[in-house]
Amino acid sequence: MCIRDREYESWVASKGYKMRDIGTLIQETLCVKEAEELEHIRKSGLLSVAFEKKFVEEVEKIIDEDQKVKHSDISRKIEMLLDNSVQMVIIEKNLNIEKSFVDLAYAPIIQSGGKYDLKPQATSDDNILSYDTIILSVASKYHGYNTNIVRSLFIDPTPDQKATYNTLLHAQELLIQSLRPGVVLKDVYNKVIEFLKSKDANLIEKLIAYLGFGIGLEFKENNLTVNAKCEKVLEAGMVFNAVIGVNGLTTSKGKSYAVMIADTVVIRDEEHNEVVTKGLSKKYDDISYSLTENDEPASTSTKPNHATGQQGSHATKAKAKAPVESARDGARKLRSDIRGRNENEELARKGHQNELLKRKEEEIIERWRRGNLISSKKDNKMALQEISSYRSPADFPKGLKPNQINIDSKNSSILVPIFGQLVPFHISVLKNVTKAEEGKTTALRLNFHIPGGSSTLSNLKFPEVKNTSTVYIKELSFKSTNTAAMSNLYKEIRDLQKNVRQQTNERIDHNELKEQDSIILMKGTKPTLPGVMTRPVLSGKKSFGTLECHQNGLRFQTKKGEKLDLIFNNIRFSFFQPGEGDMTVLLHFHLKTPVIIGKKKTYDIQFYCEAGNIAEDIDFRRRARDDYDEIELEEREREAIRKLNQEFSNFVKQVQTVSKDRCSFEQPYKDLGFYGSPNKSNVFLMPTDKCLVNLTETPYFILALEDVEIAHFERVHYRLKNFDFTFVFKDYNKSVVRINAIPTEYLEKIKSWLDTVDILFFEGSKNLNWTDLLAHIRKKPESFIKDGGWRILQENDDEDEENEDELADDDSEFQAEDDEDGDSDISDDPD
């Protein structure tokens, strides 16, 4: 004891004061809840029911698909719903709550397999889920107020399990009814015990030590424990977790099991108490399932099996994909007849796609009549006639060496000897140069761009060839024994090409740039988001600063005083991606016209914050990395990411208000996401309301759905583990975008998403040569329309289905075209 503590105790003793533990007094004060507290508890109860339903659905799915999953993994998946922004938005809207005040009192608990711990501090172990008796426990918090719900599920129960459960269910109903104002808690306990004795005395010794406890800001209010000793008198406004738990039971087949039922109850003056977790049924018929074949005669079961369309047919555990009702005990069917549901969805989807096809045909015809079927893309290519090295031979530089290749960097030209004369060529018409050693000689080969060749790498536009006698030089070769001189020429030509290409790109970038409006600063208090970083950086390795919202745009200002303005009318898409797993929260803006950052144009600007750094800053102390510290670190990280999500979310709402929805943010739907390779690496792509995006890996991928004409699934075959996915744009001058190597498991999900957003799609077993197909459409649009437009892809799909069995491997008779620059990042140029 320190000196200060001894001095304090001496002072207390000198005054004659007595020390008392005020913990009990505080608990007494918190026993009866006020109206506002009860409202929080009701919403907390709705949350507990919502999470428990998700828990039950996940278990049913696992049983449906006969999976082998650990208890801990199931628990973690339910717990991660807190970090699933899509699910939380749905819960927020459905329950009319604020998701920022939502939490779990403990990690969801799932137990099965004959080993059960019915204490609130129990945890989900690493054992595989057993298809027997399953106990699911969830406790939610809203504004800090706790509620609890527990349900027991029975798989292939025996008749004695049914009898025991119904007895315990009636005991819990009696418990809830007996919690009335003016009643002593021990009398409630004794009443329930007498009921159980009259039904089955053997249950008493297996009963847990209490029948419930008070609940509120504290998960367990110890002064309100429902047991044989508590003499507390009940009052209206108290809230209880009414629990019936029995452990160590044995079925008629000798298998151990337990039963637990819990609900959160508000005591009222009215005739009946309020059960705030009543939203999930606990009737035996709703929590029991049958996976084994029915031993009763067929005549006793007349309910149809929706999965097979037959009567009296029952699924075995080995075929637990379509479990059905048991006529013997009325056990309800598991969640869905997967096969039947999928068939119905497929028929509905095909019908909708046929409607979309008819609409697309009408739209194409209408666009053709208006003269804008082939959208005109701004052409930045130079006409060949506009390129010249010199006006006349008099402009040739002085001191040229005859019979040698000369480089004129000033005029971006090379002069080559042809029949004793130096002939100039502008470097823009040169496709590439190669060097080869041939014994004692060195050869240089100059390859030129020609009409009909691979001119996509050039900025040349060739004139139409009307005279068949017109000749273009394709290549020139030169040899010399002076290896050093040839090597220098090779390097000089390559450097000149690089410089001219850079100058051309800068010219194109300058033509695309449009002067933005000046930002109008907001006086007084304005929405701000401090401590964020930006990509691309304004200078250095990282740019830290504050993002501010003003009257007509956003301003990012670093600590160095650097500024970056984004005007609302130049923002095409805005995205808010909360931190879910990757610990990064970000705002992303895709612009209509690019801005220059670090001498480079960019259409995409991102502001982000990494929650991991914040979590580490909460506590700098180094401690042993035991299990407790790991859990504490995870909790700190989770708290940090929630705080960041809330800060970013508040800023987004304020920006939308100030901009009057001129800057409206979209949020990616993680549940609809899938893996694929739109560029060189495999990334996770997620749909938003208007786009398909990947905002975490560079180069960013942003595809506007409004620009899409059709989508085409390629290499779809039952023998292949993945497929490709191509988007064709309404602008037929624009190259298609292909996403490669998508796992087959995402196929149906992507089809459903496309159908939902009214995008017409087709499917085939081969990769198509879209370059040639689009070129044909641009050249002969009348023929394209006459042939039914995109209906030709549907006919090809039908042929592919007929010939599917002939496919022995994933080779295609159509070669997929590759981007010549190896980069298909479409977000850099939305036009």
Side-chain angles (χ1 to χ4, degrees):
M1 182 181 293
C2 67
I3 296 175
R4 189 178 298 274
D5 290 338
R6 288 199 297 268
E7 290 176 352
Y8 176 73
E9 287 190 353
S10 298
W11 179 82
V12 171
S14 66
K15 296 293 184 179
Y17 296 146
K18 294 182 180 180
M19 302 289 290
R20 287 191 61 187
D21 182 8
I22 65 170
T24 304
L25 180 60
I26 293 175
Q27 285 187 341
E28 293 289 339
T29 305
L30 298 176
C31 283
V32 179
K33 278 67 176 177
E34 298 179 352
E36 184 178 358
E37 294 177 293
L38 292 177
E39 186 59 30
H40 291 329
I41 287 173
R42 290 185 183 97
K43 291 188 175 180
S44 177
L46 295 175
L47 280 168
S48 291
V49 170
F51 283 116
E52 184 80 346
K53 284 182 177 178
K54 292 289 184 182
F55 218 165
V56 174
E57 289 171 1
E58 183 63 25
V59 170
E60 289 177 343
K61 179 183 176 183
I62 291 170
I63 298 173
D64 267 351
E65 300 175 1
D66 200 18
Q67 301 178 28
K68 304 296 182 185
V69 187
K70 294 179 181 178
H71 291 145
S72 55
D73 290 340
I74 303 171
S75 171
R76 193 176 299 112
K77 185 170 184 179
I78 301 304
E79 189 176 10
M80 288 302 292
L81 289 174
L82 287 174
D83 299 322
N84 187 321
S85 58
V86 177
Q87 290 292 337
M88 291 309 299
V89 167
I90 293 173
I91 290 175
E92 184 178 40
K93 291 181 179 179
N94 290 343
L95 304 185
N96 191 26
I97 61 170
E98 296 181 59
K99 59 182 180 181
S100 57
F101 296 106
V102 175
D103 202 353
L104 290 173
Y106 56 74
I109 304 170
I110 177 170
Q111 304 177 75
S112 68
K115 296 181 180 180
Y116 305 91
D117 182 355
L118 304 187
K119 298 176 183 177
Q121 60 268 33
T123 58
S124 302
D125 57 32
D126 290 331
N127 293 329
I128 300 295
L129 176 67
S130 179
Y131 300 167
D132 45 30
T133 302
I134 305 169
I135 297 180
L136 306 176
S137 307
V138 169
S140 298
K141 299 174 78 171
Y142 186 66
H143 278 276
Y145 287 87
N146 296 275
T147 55
N148 191 54
I149 182 172
V150 182
R151 294 290 184 263
S152 297
L153 308 181
F154 296 95
I155 313 299
D156 291 329
T158 58
D160 58 296
Q161 282 182 290
K162 176 181 179 180
T164 299
Y165 178 81
N166 283 331
T167 297
L168 296 175
L169 179 60
H170 293 151
Q172 197 224 15
E173 292 172 348
L174 177 63
L175 169 62
I176 294 172
Q177 294 170 6
S178 301
L179 293 168
R180 304 298 300 155
V183 179
V184 180
L185 276 175
K186 68 176 184 179
D187 293 339
V188 175
Y189 179 85
N190 292 331
K191 185 175 182 179
V192 175
I193 293 298
E194 288 300 320
F195 170 80
L196 288 174
K197 285 181 179 179
S198 66
K199 296 294 182 180
D200 188 350
N202 294 327
L203 295 175
I204 303 301
E205 60 184 17
K206 296 177 174 59
L207 200 66
I208 58 177
Y210 52 81
L211 299 180
F213 45 79
I215 191 170
L217 283 174
E218 293 185 7
F219 180 76
K220 185 178 181 182
E221 298 174 343
N222 292 320
N223 61 324
L224 294 179
T225 303
V226 185
N227 58 26
K229 299 178 180 179
C230 187
E231 298 185 355
K232 181 69 178 177
V233 178
L234 295 170
E235 300 179 48
M238 290 182 173
V239 182
F240 279 84
N241 179 35
V243 183
I244 294 290
V246 179
N247 203 352
L249 298 169
T250 306
T251 70
S252 57
K253 296 181 179 180
K255 190 165 186 177
S256 298
Y257 74 101
V259 177
M260 194 171 194
I261 315 168
D263 284 288
T264 303
V265 182
V266 176
I267 298 177
R268 301 194 301 185
D269 286 324
E270 288 83 356
E271 182 179 354
H272 298 291
N273 292 328
E274 179 182 2
V275 182
V276 298
T277 53
K278 64 181 180 180
L280 185 60
S281 175
K282 52 193 172 184
K283 294 180 180 180
Y284 178 78
D285 287 351
D286 293 328
I287 53 87
S288 57
Y289 308 83
S290 177
L291 301 180
T292 58
E293 290 190 15
N294 185 12
D295 297 330
E296 299 291 329
S299 60
T300 64
S301 176
T302 59
K303 296 183 180 181
N305 178 354
H306 300 289
T308 62
Q310 299 174 352
Q311 292 187 346
S313 174
H314 296 276
T316 64
K317 184 174 180 180
K319 297 180 180 179
K321 294 186 178 180
V324 295
E325 295 189 36
S326 167
R328 180 178 56 215
D329 57 13
R332 74 184 179 95
K333 180 182 176 296
L334 287 180
R335 276 200 58 78
S336 59
D337 293 328
I338 296 177
R339 187 186 307 166
R341 181 187 61 187
N342 288 348
E343 288 177 356
N344 291 336
E345 289 179 355
E346 181 68 20
L347 289 173
R349 193 164 60 206
K350 283 186 176 180
H352 186 228
Q353 284 294 306
N354 286 332
E355 292 179 10
L356 292 177
L357 179 57
K358 292 178 182 177
R359 279 192 278 176
K360 181 60 66 177
E361 290 173 347
E362 295 172 358
E363 176 190 326
I364 288 174
I365 294 172
E366 182 61 27
R367 279 160 50 191
W368 169 247
R369 287 173 180 169
R370 294 200 306 263
N372 62 348
L373 174 62
I374 312 297
S375 302
S376 58
K377 185 179 179 181
K378 185 177 180 181
D379 196 351
N380 289 310
K381 291 186 177 183
M382 295 182 294
L384 186 63
Q385 303 91 309
E386 299 175 2
I387 299 175
S388 64
S389 297
Y390 310 101
R391 295 181 181 177
S392 67
D395 295 330
F396 280 21
K398 306 299 181 183
L400 295 176
K401 298 177 182 180
N403 296 321
Q404 292 186 24
I405 299 176
N406 293 264
I407 309 296
D408 182 8
S409 300
K410 182 179 179 181
N411 293 292
S412 304
S413 300
I414 58 175
L415 295 96
V416 299
I418 299 178
F419 297 117
Q421 297 292 327
L422 289 177
V423 180
F425 290 87
H426 196 278
I427 197 69
S428 296
V429 302
L430 183 67
K431 182 178 180 182
N432 57 42
V433 57
T434 62
K435 183 182 65 147
E437 304 283 341
E438 299 178 0
K440 295 182 180 181
T441 64
T442 301
L444 279 186
R445 186 170 70 181
L446 307 178
N447 298 306
F448 297 93
H449 292 292
I450 59 174
S454 180
S455 60
T456 56
L457 292 177
S458 74
N459 286 303
L460 292 178
K461 183 167 61 177
F462 288 91
E464 293 185 12
V465 180
K466 298 180 180 179
N467 187 353
T468 55
S469 63
T470 304
V471 177
Y472 287 90
I473 296 176
K474 184 175 182 182
E475 64 179 59
L476 292 172
S477 295
F478 300 89
K479 293 183 180 181
S480 173
T481 56
N482 191 342
T483 302
M486 296 295 272
S487 297
N488 288 335
L489 280 173
Y490 175 75
K491 183 178 183 303
E492 289 179 22
I493 294 173
R494 293 288 300 271
D495 290 343
L496 182 59
Q497 273 191 308
K498 181 179 178 181
N499 293 335
V500 170
R501 188 179 296 119
Q502 183 176 349
Q503 293 171 8
T504 303
N505 290 337
E506 289 177 356
R507 175 183 60 82
I508 294 173
D509 291 346
H510 180 75
N511 292 338
E512 290 181 350
L513 291 175
K514 294 181 181 179
E515 186 175 352
Q516 291 193 108
D517 298 336
S518 298
I519 193 165
I520 303 174
L521 299 180
M522 183 182 294
K523 298 179 180 179
T525 304
K526 52 187 170 290
T528 60
L529 190 62
V532 296
M533 295 173 280
T534 181
R535 286 191 284 244
V537 296
L538 303 187
S539 64
K541 293 183 178 180
K542 288 188 177 181
S543 296
F544 287 90
T546 300
L547 185 62
E548 303 172 345
C549 179
H550 293 278
Q551 293 185 34
N552 66 333
L554 301 166
R555 166 168 285 183
F556 176 73
Q557 186 165 347
T558 67
K559 297 178 181 179
K560 299 178 183 178
E562 300 168 308
K563 296 177 183 177
L564 172 64
D565 294 338
L566 300 178
I567 307 303
F568 291 142
N569 60 18
N570 190 37
I571 297 175
R572 188 181 184 192
F573 298 115
S574 306
F575 305 100
F576 165 44
Q577 183 168 306
E580 295 181 6
D582 58 2
M583 304 300 290
T584 300
V585 187
L586 61 87
L587 301 179
H588 190 104
F589 299 93
H590 187 64
L591 307 180
K592 297 176 183 176
T593 58
V595 295
I596 297 294
I597 298 180
K599 298 183 179 180
K600 293 183 179 179
K601 72 170 184 177
T602 179
Y603 282 91
D604 293 277
I605 299 174
Q606 189 174 106
F607 303 98
Y608 68 99
C609 191
E610 296 173 345
N613 297 333
I614 295 177
E616 292 172 5
D617 292 341
I618 293 175
D619 189 355
F620 286 99
R621 294 173 296 172
R622 293 182 178 273
R623 297 174 294 179
R625 308 303 293 169
D626 55 23
D627 290 343
Y628 175 78
D629 290 335
E630 290 287 351
I631 295 173
E632 188 176 1
L633 177 60
E634 290 177 5
E635 183 60 33
R636 291 204 308 272
E637 289 178 347
R638 182 182 299 172
E639 184 61 31
I641 197 69
R642 286 182 196 163
K643 183 179 178 182
L644 267 182
N645 286 341
Q646 187 60 45
E647 290 176 359
F648 273 67
S649 178
N650 291 339
F651 181 75
V652 164
K653 292 177 182 177
Q654 292 171 336
V655 170
Q656 291 182 156
T657 301
V658 172
S659 68
K660 298 179 180 178
D661 287 331
R662 285 179 295 168
C663 182
S664 182
F665 288 84
E666 300 179 52
Q667 193 166 316
Y669 296 112
K670 189 173 183 179
D671 288 355
L672 299 177
F674 57 91
Y675 286 95
S677 300
N679 300 302
K680 296 178 182 179
S681 59
N682 190 275
V683 298
F684 190 67
L685 300 157
M686 295 181 285
T688 67
D689 290 336
K690 300 177 182 177
C691 299
L692 178 66
V693 302
N694 172 264
L695 306 175
T696 54
E697 303 286 340
T698 54
Y700 305 119
F701 181 87
I702 300 174
L703 184 140
L705 300 182
E706 64 184 5
D707 297 338
V708 173
E709 174 90 327
I710 62 163
H712 191 258
F713 295 93
E714 303 180 341
R715 293 196 311 110
V716 178
H717 192 270
Y718 69 93
R719 296 183 184 178
L720 302 181
K721 294 182 179 179
N722 51 53
F723 62 93
D724 301 333
F725 187 26
T726 300
F727 286 99
V728 181
F729 296 100
K730 295 176 181 177
D731 184 349
Y732 294 164
N733 286 316
K734 194 170 184 178
S735 299
V736 300
V737 168
R738 175 180 283 122
I739 302 173
N740 297 313
I742 304 173
T744 306
E745 63 196 71
Y746 293 111
L747 180 60
E748 292 303 316
K749 179 192 289 188
I750 297 174
K751 286 182 178 179
S752 297
W753 164 62
L754 289 175
D755 193 61
T756 302
V757 294
D758 289 342
I759 289 182
L760 178 64
F761 64 82
F762 302 93
E763 178 182 320
S765 60
K766 304 166 184 148
N767 285 122
L768 301 181
N769 191 326
W770 289 100
T771 301
D772 290 349
L773 179 57
L774 291 177
H776 173 74
I777 294 173
R778 291 192 297 267
K779 187 176 181 180
K780 299 180 178 179
E782 301 96 333
S783 175
F784 171 66
I785 295 173
K786 185 178 179 181
D787 292 339
W790 296 111
R791 191 176 289 275
I792 187 174
L793 293 180
Q794 189 179 54
E795 295 171 359
N796 288 339
D797 293 348
D798 295 338
E799 292 177 7
D800 288 343
E801 290 179 5
E802 294 175 3
N803 298 326
E804 261 191 354
D805 294 334
E806 299 176 9
L807 269 175
D809 50 47
D810 59 346
D811 293 337
S812 171
E813 65 181 80
F814 295 99
Q815 179 127 13
E817 70 277 14
D818 294 327
D819 292 336
E820 296 183 32
D821 57 0
D823 189 359
S824 62
D825 176 29
I826 65 166
S827 69
D828 286 342
D829 186 1
D831 299 327

